[in-house]
Amino acid sequence: MSTTERPRILVVGGGYVGLYAARRILKKMRYGEATVTVVDPRSYMTYQPFLPEAAAGSISPRHVVVPLRRVLPKAEVLTGRVSTIDQDRKVATIAPLVGEAYELPFDYLVVALGAVSRTFPIPGLAEQGIGMKGVEEAIGLRNHVLEQLDKADSTTDENVRRKALSFVFVGGGFAGAETIGEVEDMARDAAKYYPNVKREDMRFVLVDAADKILPEVGPELGTWGLEHLQKRGIEVYLNTSMDSCIDGHVVLKNGLEVDSNTIVWTAGVKPNPALARFGLPLGPRGHVDAEPTLQVKGTDYIWAAGDNAQVPDLAAGEGKWCAPNAQHALRQARVLGDNVISGMRDFPQHEYKHANKGAVAGLGLHKGVAMVVVGKVKIKLRGRLAWYMHRGYHGLAVPTWNRKIRVFADWALAMFLKREVVSLGAMENPREEFYEAARPVSAATTQPADRAGKSEEAKAS
């Protein structure tokens, strides 16, 4: 960690906004003008729109993450959390992964903590649910689903088999619809290699409390997406929610009950709860209250953007807020970076204004929906062409040319090579087998042998 006397720009969070804002600041900054410090519990940024494809094996998980130290070589990257912020002293308390917490002074602050999964106190959810906010969860979901196929193919117990082949997804937004579409596609493809498992044996259930899915692309494409998923044998239950899922026994508000080993929770996000400890002005839903310039209200040295910020949407009109999506996050990060430099140099701040350019979603291989805004015209696409637009947009949007090339290479190879359907569930506990081999033999295990040895000695004497 640097001990430089230069002004410090502290970036809290290394996600989409944190990474792009830090890059922008470093690019615009004069040599030696300031020190940029990025703090995040992970040493990499995750491109979340690719998580469904990573869960389905269409993209290598390593290619959806961007290492912070490699992309920000001129910045300090600290692996840890910012636990508190003292605005009067301009000091942040850093809690590293290992060791004691310490204080870090700063002159300018960028709050980019992002969001976490929005959950409810549903019995059994914490024990049984699988989220989709990180690459670790995407890898875990892929391994878990394939492991369920292994179980179903190898058992003669019909109850075990039924529970293994039932998959419940809660949340019908982008994350939920894309994930169930990709995972169903993978499971359908994998079933070809299991003699005792067919697609007809599997049960996929999508649940949402709203009256539609994919609201981001509009009602028409949302209806098409719903019908498309239903044609693939996916049960969709709208205007309902999950009451409980204790031990995998899912009970829905509409009375439906399903036994399932796989419960995927994608029912929205909420601002990172750590914001409550920073002493910043928060909106009604816990977002940092920001001006159109992305400055936190009441301050001239703190900026916030992305999923953890409540930013006025000037393009949409009075009283509207920017949606929590990658489209806004990328563009906000650039304006934020420029405004931080302007703030250091006492230049005027610029307001963030961006009109919605549309939305794209993939629902599995060669299947998708897209709504593109050109001027005042909305172009609506579905099927293969929309899927190409989905891949093209996100393939170009993923940070760094290194990752762009690797992602497009994954897609190109998939045109000629079959999808891998191997489960690597042991990755989640890689030391388990070695531990079983190396652990000391317990006293209970040695006792019979000791007694037997003593009996033999008694006989010999």
Short mmCIF file of all heavy atoms in Angstrom, two decimals, residues 34-61:
data_model
loop_
_atom_site.label_atom_id
_atom_site.label_comp_id
_atom_site.label_asym_id
_atom_site.label_seq_id
_atom_site.Cartn_x
_atom_site.Cartn_y
_atom_site.Cartn_z
N ALA A 34 -2.55 12.25 -8.62
CA ALA A 34 -3.27 11.65 -7.50
C ALA A 34 -2.99 10.15 -7.45
O ALA A 34 -2.45 9.57 -8.39
CB ALA A 34 -4.78 11.91 -7.61
N THR A 35 -3.35 9.54 -6.34
CA THR A 35 -3.28 8.09 -6.18
C THR A 35 -4.69 7.52 -6.23
O THR A 35 -5.58 8.00 -5.51
CB THR A 35 -2.63 7.72 -4.83
OG1 THR A 35 -1.29 8.21 -4.80
CG2 THR A 35 -2.62 6.20 -4.63
N VAL A 36 -4.89 6.53 -7.08
CA VAL A 36 -6.20 5.88 -7.19
C VAL A 36 -6.13 4.55 -6.44
O VAL A 36 -5.29 3.70 -6.75
CB VAL A 36 -6.59 5.65 -8.66
CG1 VAL A 36 -7.92 4.91 -8.74
CG2 VAL A 36 -6.67 6.98 -9.40
N THR A 37 -6.99 4.37 -5.47
CA THR A 37 -7.04 3.15 -4.67
C THR A 37 -8.41 2.50 -4.83
O THR A 37 -9.43 3.14 -4.60
CB THR A 37 -6.79 3.45 -3.17
OG1 THR A 37 -5.53 4.11 -3.02
CG2 THR A 37 -6.80 2.17 -2.35
N VAL A 38 -8.42 1.23 -5.23
CA VAL A 38 -9.66 0.47 -5.42
C VAL A 38 -9.72 -0.62 -4.36
O VAL A 38 -8.77 -1.39 -4.19
CB VAL A 38 -9.72 -0.16 -6.83
CG1 VAL A 38 -11.02 -0.95 -7.01
CG2 VAL A 38 -9.59 0.92 -7.90
N VAL A 39 -10.84 -0.68 -3.63
CA VAL A 39 -11.01 -1.66 -2.56
C VAL A 39 -12.20 -2.55 -2.90
O VAL A 39 -13.31 -2.06 -3.16
CB VAL A 39 -11.24 -0.99 -1.20
CG1 VAL A 39 -11.35 -2.04 -0.10
CG2 VAL A 39 -10.11 -0.01 -0.89
N ASP A 40 -11.99 -3.85 -2.90
CA ASP A 40 -13.07 -4.81 -3.18
C ASP A 40 -12.71 -6.15 -2.54
O ASP A 40 -11.52 -6.52 -2.51
CB ASP A 40 -13.27 -4.98 -4.68
CG ASP A 40 -14.60 -5.65 -5.01
OD1 ASP A 40 -14.67 -6.90 -4.96
OD2 ASP A 40 -15.57 -4.94 -5.30
N PRO A 41 -13.70 -6.90 -2.03
CA PRO A 41 -13.40 -8.22 -1.45
C PRO A 41 -12.86 -9.21 -2.47
O PRO A 41 -12.19 -10.17 -2.09
CB PRO A 41 -14.76 -8.69 -0.91
CG PRO A 41 -15.59 -7.46 -0.80
CD PRO A 41 -15.11 -6.55 -1.88
N ARG A 42 -13.17 -8.99 -3.75
CA ARG A 42 -12.65 -9.86 -4.81
C ARG A 42 -11.62 -9.10 -5.63
O ARG A 42 -11.75 -7.88 -5.81
CB ARG A 42 -13.78 -10.35 -5.72
CG ARG A 42 -14.80 -11.24 -5.01
CD ARG A 42 -15.88 -11.69 -6.00
NE ARG A 42 -16.81 -12.62 -5.39
CZ ARG A 42 -17.89 -12.30 -4.72
NH1 ARG A 42 -18.18 -11.01 -4.55
NH2 ARG A 42 -18.68 -13.21 -4.20
N SER A 43 -10.66 -9.81 -6.14
CA SER A 43 -9.61 -9.16 -6.93
C SER A 43 -9.97 -9.10 -8.40
O SER A 43 -9.10 -8.91 -9.25
CB SER A 43 -8.29 -9.91 -6.74
OG SER A 43 -8.42 -11.24 -7.19
N TYR A 44 -11.24 -9.24 -8.71
CA TYR A 44 -11.67 -9.24 -10.10
C TYR A 44 -13.07 -8.65 -10.22
O TYR A 44 -13.83 -8.60 -9.25
CB TYR A 44 -11.67 -10.66 -10.68
CG TYR A 44 -12.47 -11.65 -9.87
CD1 TYR A 44 -13.84 -11.79 -10.03
CD2 TYR A 44 -11.84 -12.44 -8.91
CE1 TYR A 44 -14.57 -12.69 -9.28
CE2 TYR A 44 -12.56 -13.35 -8.15
CZ TYR A 44 -13.92 -13.47 -8.34
OH TYR A 44 -14.65 -14.36 -7.59
N MET A 45 -13.39 -8.19 -11.43
CA MET A 45 -14.71 -7.69 -11.75
C MET A 45 -15.45 -8.76 -12.54
O MET A 45 -14.86 -9.44 -13.38
CB MET A 45 -14.60 -6.40 -12.57
CG MET A 45 -15.91 -5.93 -13.17
SD MET A 45 -16.10 -6.51 -14.87
CE MET A 45 -17.49 -5.53 -15.40
N THR A 46 -16.74 -8.96 -12.25
CA THR A 46 -17.55 -9.98 -12.93
C THR A 46 -18.50 -9.30 -13.91
O THR A 46 -19.23 -8.38 -13.53
CB THR A 46 -18.37 -10.79 -11.92
OG1 THR A 46 -17.49 -11.41 -10.98
CG2 THR A 46 -19.17 -11.88 -12.63
N TYR A 47 -18.48 -9.75 -15.17
CA TYR A 47 -19.43 -9.24 -16.15
C TYR A 47 -20.70 -10.07 -16.03
O TYR A 47 -20.85 -11.13 -16.62
CB TYR A 47 -18.85 -9.33 -17.57
CG TYR A 47 -19.70 -8.59 -18.58
CD1 TYR A 47 -19.77 -7.21 -18.58
CD2 TYR A 47 -20.43 -9.28 -19.54
CE1 TYR A 47 -20.55 -6.52 -19.50
CE2 TYR A 47 -21.22 -8.61 -20.46
CZ TYR A 47 -21.27 -7.23 -20.43
OH TYR A 47 -22.05 -6.56 -21.34
N GLN A 48 -21.65 -9.57 -15.25
CA GLN A 48 -22.82 -10.34 -14.85
C GLN A 48 -23.75 -10.76 -15.99
O GLN A 48 -24.37 -11.82 -15.91
CB GLN A 48 -23.60 -9.59 -13.78
CG GLN A 48 -22.83 -9.48 -12.48
CD GLN A 48 -23.61 -8.79 -11.38
OE1 GLN A 48 -24.70 -8.27 -11.61
NE2 GLN A 48 -23.05 -8.76 -10.19
N PRO A 49 -23.89 -10.00 -17.08
CA PRO A 49 -24.76 -10.48 -18.17
C PRO A 49 -24.35 -11.82 -18.75
O PRO A 49 -25.16 -12.49 -19.40
CB PRO A 49 -24.66 -9.36 -19.21
CG PRO A 49 -24.38 -8.13 -18.41
CD PRO A 49 -23.48 -8.60 -17.30
N PHE A 50 -23.10 -12.23 -18.52
CA PHE A 50 -22.63 -13.51 -19.07
C PHE A 50 -22.79 -14.67 -18.08
O PHE A 50 -22.44 -15.81 -18.42
CB PHE A 50 -21.16 -13.40 -19.48
CG PHE A 50 -20.95 -12.81 -20.84
CD1 PHE A 50 -19.74 -12.21 -21.17
CD2 PHE A 50 -21.95 -12.84 -21.80
CE1 PHE A 50 -19.54 -11.66 -22.43
CE2 PHE A 50 -21.77 -12.28 -23.05
CZ PHE A 50 -20.55 -11.69 -23.37
N LEU A 51 -23.28 -14.42 -16.89
CA LEU A 51 -23.39 -15.49 -15.91
C LEU A 51 -24.31 -16.63 -16.37
O LEU A 51 -23.97 -17.81 -16.16
CB LEU A 51 -23.86 -14.94 -14.56
CG LEU A 51 -22.86 -14.04 -13.82
CD1 LEU A 51 -23.43 -13.59 -12.49
CD2 LEU A 51 -21.53 -14.77 -13.60
N PRO A 52 -25.48 -16.36 -16.99
CA PRO A 52 -26.29 -17.48 -17.47
C PRO A 52 -25.55 -18.37 -18.48
O PRO A 52 -25.68 -19.60 -18.43
CB PRO A 52 -27.50 -16.78 -18.11
CG PRO A 52 -27.62 -15.50 -17.37
CD PRO A 52 -26.20 -15.08 -17.11
N GLU A 53 -24.78 -17.76 -19.38
CA GLU A 53 -24.04 -18.56 -20.35
C GLU A 53 -22.89 -19.31 -19.68
O GLU A 53 -22.55 -20.43 -20.10
CB GLU A 53 -23.51 -17.67 -21.48
CG GLU A 53 -24.60 -17.14 -22.40
CD GLU A 53 -24.06 -16.78 -23.78
OE1 GLU A 53 -23.32 -17.58 -24.36
OE2 GLU A 53 -24.40 -15.69 -24.26
N ALA A 54 -22.30 -18.72 -18.66
CA ALA A 54 -21.26 -19.44 -17.91
C ALA A 54 -21.86 -20.63 -17.18
O ALA A 54 -21.26 -21.70 -17.11
CB ALA A 54 -20.58 -18.49 -16.92
N ALA A 55 -23.09 -20.47 -16.65
CA ALA A 55 -23.76 -21.58 -15.97
C ALA A 55 -24.12 -22.70 -16.92
O ALA A 55 -24.20 -23.86 -16.52
CB ALA A 55 -25.02 -21.06 -15.27
N ALA A 56 -24.33 -22.36 -18.19
CA ALA A 56 -24.69 -23.37 -19.19
C ALA A 56 -23.48 -23.95 -19.90
O ALA A 56 -23.62 -24.86 -20.71
CB ALA A 56 -25.65 -22.77 -20.21
N GLY A 57 -22.29 -23.41 -19.61
CA GLY A 57 -21.08 -23.94 -20.24
C GLY A 57 -20.81 -23.37 -21.61
O GLY A 57 -19.94 -23.87 -22.33
N SER A 58 -21.52 -22.30 -22.02
CA SER A 58 -21.28 -21.70 -23.33
C SER A 58 -20.04 -20.81 -23.32
O SER A 58 -19.45 -20.55 -24.36
CB SER A 58 -22.50 -20.88 -23.76
OG SER A 58 -23.64 -21.69 -23.88
N ILE A 59 -19.67 -20.32 -22.14
CA ILE A 59 -18.49 -19.48 -21.97
C ILE A 59 -17.70 -20.01 -20.78
O ILE A 59 -18.28 -20.38 -19.77
CB ILE A 59 -18.88 -18.01 -21.71
CG1 ILE A 59 -19.69 -17.44 -22.86
CG2 ILE A 59 -17.64 -17.15 -21.49
CD1 ILE A 59 -20.17 -16.01 -22.61
N SER A 60 -16.38 -20.02 -20.89
CA SER A 60 -15.55 -20.41 -19.77
C SER A 60 -15.71 -19.40 -18.64
O SER A 60 -15.66 -18.18 -18.89
CB SER A 60 -14.08 -20.49 -20.19
OG SER A 60 -13.24 -20.64 -19.06
N PRO A 61 -15.91 -19.84 -17.41
CA PRO A 61 -16.07 -18.90 -16.29
C PRO A 61 -14.91 -17.92 -16.14
O PRO A 61 -15.10 -16.78 -15.73
CB PRO A 61 -16.18 -19.82 -15.07
CG PRO A 61 -16.67 -21.12 -15.61
CD PRO A 61 -16.06 -21.24 -16.97
#
